[in-house]
Amino acid sequence: MRPTGDRRWTTGGTGGTGGTGGGTAGGTGAADTAVVAELRRLLREGPFHLALRTALAVRGLPLHRVQHRLAARGIKVGVTSLSYWQQGARRPRHPESLRAVAALEQILELPDGALLRLLTGTGRAGGAGGRPAARSYRALVSVGAAVEQLLDAMELPADGGLHSVGHHERVRIGPAGELCDRESQQIVRAHRDGVDRYLAVHHGDPGCDSARMRVTAYENCRTGRVRHHPEAGVVVAELLFDTRLRCGDTYVFGYGIEDGTGARSTEYVRGFSYAGGQYMLQVRFDEAALPVRCRRFARTGPQAPRTGLADLTPSGRHRAVHLVEQTVRRGILGIAWDWD
């Protein structure tokens, strides 16, 4: 079985919240000067969504007026999309969206290329207190290209603004050796302002049907958009938080994914874009399908050799094995098993 890890990070998606911008109605000239100075800093260093939001605040333009000015230039962008852009919940990627960003620079009286530069990565995307850039999906999992394709279609930023503090994961293997479901409880910390969602990624076993997989949010979150890649057997799901986080805030949430659609499973792996945080994985087997051998392992990438091999013995009547990693490294951790 080859379900991939979730973006922590990552992974990952982000949302938006207060941060800089908005100004103070009826404020003093000094306050206005401070906001303008902050806008200049954000245009130099990023991130894009805070720079856009602060520019809107400095010009005093509500989103519906911005939409009308874009429409006058022949550019159709919804108020919802503009709101997502300034929150960080989505990131302009497609040609029409980038055309709108170039027009926004004129509408907001910004230097040419000021916002587009932040989208191309030449600015410091993480901002103050940011984490190092996450490893790409292509570097972590064999279906990384399919995952990135789904994320691009959802116009979500590459860095989800979260890294893991703790993650407990339980996987259940069915009577035919299939992966029935998995449950995750996570503690994450935001490394930038405005995060209000997490992206869960699941990669099924050969022969799986991603359209029949189900994502359930059961603690401190709710399910948002869910996208499927049938050829790769991948599901990407937004888990929306009940609040928006500021940099340094922690959050606890839980969710589950029902699968049961693929062939007999032989391993479960989790990809980590960031180092740090504790991870616990438990795999429980049905009494009708018990493996003859179980091992934990690590990998630096999908094609790299397995390292850190250690035999695991299923525990008595619970028929379960587990691993605990106190401080994860970037890469892959997993448990593999042999049926005969």
Side-chain angles (χ1 to χ4, degrees):
M1 172 286 152
R2 299 167 303 179
T4 68
D6 302 332
R7 185 79 163 185
R8 318 232 176 331
W9 63 23
T10 106
T11 172
T14 60
T17 185
T20 309
T24 53
T28 66
D32 293 341
T33 301
V35 174
V36 171
E38 179 67 1
L39 173 60
R40 290 172 180 163
R41 184 189 70 79
L42 289 169
L43 290 175
R44 291 194 309 270
E45 302 178 357
F48 166 81
H49 71 284
L50 288 184
L52 174 60
R53 186 162 67 220
T54 305
L56 290 167
V58 168
R59 304 307 172 207
L61 287 175
L63 294 183
H64 70 274
R65 287 179 58 192
V66 173
Q67 181 194 35
H68 290 159
R69 294 193 183 189
L70 287 171
R73 288 170 165 80
I75 302 172
K76 294 182 179 180
V77 177
V79 170
T80 299
S81 292
L82 291 171
S83 178
Y84 282 159
W85 291 355
Q86 69 156 347
Q87 293 173 356
R90 296 186 188 175
R91 190 173 175 89
R93 293 179 185 271
H94 301 301
E96 184 69 7
S97 297
L98 296 178
R99 183 175 168 232
V101 173
L104 283 172
E105 293 172 350
Q106 299 176 5
I107 293 170
L108 298 175
E109 301 176 25
L110 301 175
D112 289 345
L115 293 175
L116 286 172
R117 181 180 62 83
L118 298 177
L119 290 171
T120 61
T122 56
R124 193 176 67 194
R131 302 272 294 187
R135 291 189 66 181
S136 70
Y137 275 108
R138 294 171 190 261
L140 279 177
V141 295
S142 60
V143 292
V147 174
E148 291 175 0
Q149 180 182 337
L150 292 176
L151 295 181
D152 186 63
M154 297 165 78
E155 294 193 341
L156 291 169
D159 174 15
L162 296 169
H163 55 275
S164 180
V165 176
H167 186 181
H168 287 188
E169 188 163 40
R170 291 174 174 82
V171 174
R172 186 168 61 93
I173 305 299
E178 78 283 12
L179 185 143
C180 290
D181 53 56
R182 67 178 177 93
E183 290 188 354
S184 290
Q185 184 174 55
Q186 293 188 233
I187 307 169
V188 293
R189 188 186 303 277
H191 50 260
R192 68 162 175 261
D193 289 342
V195 181
D196 68 352
R197 68 199 62 203
Y198 176 87
L199 288 177
V201 179
H202 182 79
H203 176 207
D205 288 301
C208 69
D209 183 355
S210 64
R212 291 165 51 203
M213 298 175 187
R214 294 291 178 266
V215 180
T216 302
Y218 61 80
E219 184 177 9
N220 298 329
C221 62
R222 63 189 188 280
T223 306
R225 293 174 293 174
V226 179
R227 298 292 184 266
H228 306 266
H229 195 296
E231 294 78 13
V234 170
V235 173
V236 173
E238 280 183 321
L239 298 170
L240 306 176
F241 298 163
D242 296 332
T243 187
R244 290 175 177 171
L245 307 180
R246 299 189 68 83
C247 184
D249 287 350
T250 56
Y251 197 75
V252 178
F253 64 100
Y255 69 96
I257 296 180
E258 297 178 22
D259 190 339
T261 67
R264 181 183 260 194
S265 216
T266 58
E267 66 176 27
Y268 185 87
V269 301
R270 166 69 52 189
F272 296 92
S273 296
Y274 291 117
Q278 183 196 74
Y279 176 62
M280 186 282 291
L281 168 63
Q282 176 182 274
V283 180
R284 177 170 293 181
F285 299 93
D286 189 277
E287 61 182 353
L290 297 177
V292 297
R293 185 182 184 188
C294 299
R295 287 153 296 177
R296 64 167 289 163
F297 66 91
R299 273 181 172 160
T300 57
Q303 305 304 322
R306 292 178 178 180
T307 60
L309 296 172
D311 287 332
L312 303 173
T313 302
S315 58
R317 62 189 180 89
H318 297 294
R319 305 175 301 278
V321 293
H322 74 277
L323 66 81
V324 176
E325 193 75 10
Q326 292 295 341
T327 305
V328 301
R329 299 179 180 180
R330 295 200 307 174
I332 296 169
L333 274 176
I335 295 177
W337 52 89
D338 299 323
W339 292 111
D340 48 38

